[in-house]
Amino acid sequence: MTTLSIRCKMNDYGAFKQAYDGWRQENAANMGIVASSVFRNVDDPDFVTVHHQFADETAAKALANQISNDEYKEYERQQGYIQVDTMEVTLLKKVE
């Protein structure tokens, strides 16, 4: 199991969550995401961490590369609900 972890600060959590839920519903299964979770920081709820779990490491890397590229970051800047410069993308492998 591979987890893609994305952490970033929000400008507008409500707008992000609505867009994210729509994206997840339309795309998650096709991208190989088997589970996902959204977490908000207890002390600063504008910091959000999203975890996407994949059975296939290659699919996790593909999404990590997609959201790390400059075109995607520019798209997010235009949307305005994520502070793109705070975005941290990490791939995690479950240890047995």
Side-chain angles (χ1 to χ4, degrees), residues 10 39 41 59 69 72 90:
M10 297 288 140
F39 303 90
N41 185 293
N69 75 41
Y72 178 81
T90 307

Side-chain angles (χ1 to χ4, degrees), residues 59-75:
K61 286 181 179 180
L63 182 55
N65 289 335
Q66 178 184 343
I67 65 174
S68 296
N69 75 41
D70 290 338
E71 286 180 28
Y72 178 81
K73 289 179 181 179
E74 182 56 32
Y75 167 79

Side-chain angles (χ1 to χ4, degrees), residues 19-78:
Y20 171 78
D21 287 346
W23 173 87
R24 186 183 60 194
Q25 195 169 35
E26 291 178 23
N27 298 292
N30 294 336
M31 299 182 97
I33 298 169
V34 296
S36 59
S37 303
V38 176
F39 303 90
R40 293 180 86 177
N41 185 293
V42 171
D43 295 321
D44 185 351
D46 287 336
F47 268 104
V48 173
T49 301
V50 178
H51 287 174
H52 294 296
Q53 293 180 326
F54 295 81
D56 178 46
E57 185 176 325
T58 302
K61 286 181 179 180
L63 182 55
N65 289 335
Q66 178 184 343
I67 65 174
S68 296
N69 75 41
D70 290 338
E71 286 180 28
Y72 178 81
K73 289 179 181 179
E74 182 56 32
Y75 167 79
E76 289 297 350
R77 271 190 195 89
Q78 291 175 9

